[in-house]
Amino acid sequence: MAKDFAGEVMSYPGGEKILACMQCGTCTGSCPVSHNMQYTPRKLIALIRANQREKVLSSLDIWKCVSCYTCTARCPRGIKFTDIMYILKNLAWNKEEKGAEVKEISAFYDSFQKLIESRGRMNESQLVFRYSFRTNPIKLLEFAPMGLKLMSKGRVALLSPGVSNRKQVQTILKMAGERRGA
Amino acid sequence: MTYQYYPGCSLHASAKDYDQSIQGVAQLMDLELKEVEDWNCCGATVTPSLNQLQGQVLAARNLAIAAGKKGDLVVPCNACYMSLKKVQYNMGKYPKVRENITDIFGQVGLRLTGMPKVRHFLEVILEDVGLEKIERMVKKPLEGLKVACYYGCQLVRPLGFDDPEDPQSLDRLMSTLGAETLPYSQKTHCCGGSLITTQPDLTFKMVDELLEEARSLQADLIVVTCPMCQLNLDAYQNQVNKKFNRKTTVPVTYFTQLMGIALGLSKNKLGLKKGVISPSKALEKIG
């Protein structure tokens, strides 16, 4: 029998306790960004349990989680909702079609990821360049005043060294990518 | 004491001042920091958002390189600290995670046997050096300096060494150095992290709330333990203030910079000129 959505979420590390939710809303009340969400953490749990896979995974709300772990620290049922958000983002990322409103965020995540794949370390300025060119190069103008300020303070490393053994980093990323999940 | 040191990506760029002040303070306290050879990005919150296993192998590669070598693994960034600690926790809790990682690592010659304990630099200062020793080392007390101690999220949640809601370690350290610590109720609220790039409307508000409380408490400085928090509160402060029409600024310094001052290190060696919002005026108070 095909697993329902809750079963799917539960099969990943961190998702196992989702059925224990009693819909008390401590997560939503603690979340620093829930005021800006259509589907708050409590609602997302309800939607997962109501098997609303498509609605949850196409939502921009799952990409608003800032990983502050306040919901996880406070949940009276021990549900690690931040981890569930990671599971949801993973599943959404694997979907062929991503919603239009997720486009900007996808570009940022993808730029970061490509940078890590190519050099093993993050470089803030290269990240901003990549992201701006992927979305709207005019963004560079918005970043410029701060970028120049940081540069004048010696806080921009345009060419910081990457990892030497890039092949190893690339290999483990590739093997992990092929396994999906966990 | 010897430690392995994982600086993380920011400390080579926007947070060079943090790195500089850590090196200065560590030397003074006889903490030998040996940088992990050929370390890589911890994945932060980005890679695990796309693929959790990829995030975990990234973080775990650093643990594998440090495995079997002398000394705990010291991490200065809240986000790196959490990423490295979390993969260690997950490998213990979920056999599937451990099997996947060890299997992948086996194919590239990485071994996890003898992984080091992951600790934040603040934790090492408090637990290994201790406040009594630090008190004796203070040469220039931070008297009269009112500070808001800001811990952020991932230092204390979900696997931190201090209370997840009302941590005290940084407050105790600052008091020991002679500063007046303020009752900063948002000490563990979130700065918005990397969302500040993609969703500024959402995160500028979070930054503004943090700054506003510090201002209302008449804080001279906000003290931080994380390069991401520092960047959001400091580098974005002018934009945030403009958006919310705020007239005054609050400098944001690393705890290690204030430690350096109190322990008598030269200000030039602490990167104090690197703040976008200069702390010089606030620091005049202590001369």
Side-chain angles (χ1 to χ4, degrees):
Chain A
M1 201 181 88
K3 256 190 237 163
D4 62 5
F5 191 29
E8 187 181 4
V9 170
M10 285 166 71
S11 72
Y12 293 101
E16 56 280 338
K17 282 193 178 169
I18 196 164
L19 297 181
C21 173
M22 55 186 180
Q23 291 285 296
C24 71
T26 300
C27 46
T28 296
S30 305
C31 175
V33 290
S34 60
H35 64 88
N36 190 270
M37 289 171 158
Q38 181 187 5
Y39 304 129
T40 58
R42 182 189 63 80
K43 283 186 187 166
L44 282 169
I45 294 182
L47 285 166
I48 293 166
R49 299 199 300 194
N51 210 19
Q52 300 293 306
R53 193 177 195 275
E54 189 48 39
K55 203 173 261 184
V56 169
L57 297 188
S58 56
S59 166
L60 177 64
D61 294 330
I62 58 176
W63 298 98
K64 288 179 184 166
C65 173
V66 284
S67 295
C68 74
Y69 290 89
T70 313
C71 52
T72 299
R74 291 183 183 170
C75 175
R77 290 296 179 101
I79 297 166
K80 297 181 197 164
F81 191 70
T82 315
D83 287 1
I84 291 175
M85 281 297 218
Y86 278 100
I87 296 168
L88 299 177
K89 284 180 278 185
N90 278 205
L91 295 172
W93 191 254
N94 284 337
K95 286 201 325 171
E96 295 288 320
E97 290 285 312
K98 293 182 188 72
E101 52 175 4
V102 185
K103 212 181 131 211
E104 294 240 331
I105 293 167
S106 298
F108 176 77
Y109 280 82
D110 200 46
S111 305
F112 187 104
Q113 184 74 355
K114 292 266 157 53
L115 207 52
I116 302 307
E117 281 167 7
S118 70
R119 55 198 306 286
R121 288 184 195 165
M122 204 263 291
N123 176 297
E124 294 146 339
S125 32
Q126 289 183 34
L127 177 62
V128 167
F129 275 105
R130 272 176 193 250
Y131 168 61
S132 301
F133 279 110
R134 283 281 303 274
T135 50
N136 181 358
I138 290 170
K139 275 208 179 78
L140 282 174
L141 294 177
E142 290 165 26
F143 285 115
M146 185 181 74
L148 292 172
K149 190 85 194 169
L150 287 173
M151 207 177 272
S152 75
K153 299 277 178 186
R155 288 173 66 179
V156 174
L158 289 170
L159 296 167
S160 59
V163 167
S164 302
N165 195 348
R166 288 179 200 190
K167 191 150 185 289
Q168 187 177 63
V169 173
Q170 286 157 359
T171 309
I172 60 174
L173 280 174
K174 186 164 177 284
M175 286 197 280
E178 282 160 1
R179 296 184 188 212
R180 288 197 174 184
Chain B
M1 287 257 265
T2 302
Y3 297 89
Q4 305 194 63
Y5 180 56
Y6 175 84
C9 307
S10 299
L11 275 82
H12 280 201
S14 63
K16 279 178 196 159
D17 42 352
Y18 194 16
D19 192 49
Q20 257 179 315
S21 54
I22 287 170
Q23 301 294 347
V25 165
Q27 203 179 14
L28 211 61
M29 302 194 156
D30 282 328
L31 308 174
E32 192 191 354
L33 304 179
K34 286 189 174 163
E35 189 162 320
V36 174
E37 210 178 300
D38 208 33
W39 56 269
N40 59 268
C41 170
C42 71
T45 54
V46 174
T47 305
S49 292
L50 310 184
N51 182 310
Q52 292 219 73
L53 187 58
Q54 283 188 325
Q56 300 192 93
V57 293
L58 272 183
R61 178 176 175 272
N62 300 303
L63 297 172
I65 295 171
K69 299 196 178 76
K70 196 181 164 201
D72 291 345
L73 185 62
V74 181
V75 186
C77 165
N78 291 6
C80 303
Y81 169 72
M82 203 283 296
S83 301
L84 297 175
K85 246 183 135 158
K86 192 172 170 185
V87 67
Q88 219 165 31
Y89 171 86
N90 280 354
M91 282 192 285
K93 185 167 165 75
Y94 304 105
K96 199 166 97 186
V97 174
R98 192 174 185 95
E99 281 162 27
N100 268 324
I101 297 176
T102 39
D103 183 45
I104 290 171
F105 279 14
Q107 297 183 48
V108 293
L110 288 169
R111 285 167 58 93
L112 288 158
T113 321
M115 273 191 289
K117 195 175 174 204
V118 177
R119 303 172 75 198
H120 194 278
F121 190 63
L122 176 65
E123 181 181 2
V124 169
I125 295 289
L126 262 94
E127 291 175 1
D128 297 5
V129 181
L131 294 177
E132 278 177 33
K133 183 176 172 187
I134 292 169
E135 194 170 10
R136 288 197 303 271
M137 290 174 76
V138 173
K139 291 205 172 104
K140 188 173 170 186
L142 307 178
E143 258 161 45
L145 200 66
K146 293 204 261 182
V147 299
C149 293
Y150 177 56
Y151 299 73
C153 309
Q154 299 184 343
L155 175 71
V156 292
R157 289 184 302 270
L159 299 163
F161 67 96
D162 202 339
D163 189 274
E165 303 273 2
D166 186 19
Q168 296 297 329
S169 47
L170 186 57
D171 290 81
R172 285 168 55 218
L173 174 63
M174 288 299 134
S175 303
T176 302
L177 301 176
E180 181 189 338
T181 58
L182 300 163
Y184 191 45
S185 74
Q186 296 183 74
K187 57 163 79 164
T188 62
H189 284 203
C190 181
C191 72
S194 66
L195 262 74
I196 203 151
T197 317
T198 51
Q199 306 189 53
D201 286 343
L202 186 57
T203 38
F204 277 25
K205 178 99 181 69
M206 296 161 83
V207 172
D208 182 60
E209 280 170 14
L210 290 166
L211 296 172
E212 265 298 271
E213 188 186 352
R215 277 189 284 254
S216 73
L217 293 167
Q218 295 180 317
D220 294 310
L221 296 163
I222 297 175
V223 189
V224 294
T225 65
C226 168
M228 189 87 215
C229 304
Q230 205 281 343
L231 191 77
N232 282 10
L233 294 179
D234 174 54
Y236 282 92
Q237 192 172 142
N238 288 327
Q239 287 179 63
V240 170
N241 285 351
K242 198 172 162 197
K243 181 175 168 140
F244 294 94
N245 200 21
R246 309 291 184 202
K247 303 294 178 207
T248 52
T249 54
V250 195
V252 186
T253 55
Y254 293 105
F255 72 100
T256 43
Q257 293 178 304
L258 292 182
M259 273 185 90
I261 295 174
L263 302 181
L265 287 175
S266 153
K267 280 188 187 170
N268 300 329
K269 288 187 177 165
L270 296 168
L272 285 158
K273 291 192 175 129
K274 289 192 186 289
V276 168
I277 308 297
S278 168
S280 342
K281 195 157 173 271
L283 295 174
E284 275 170 16
K285 271 193 163 180
I286 48 168

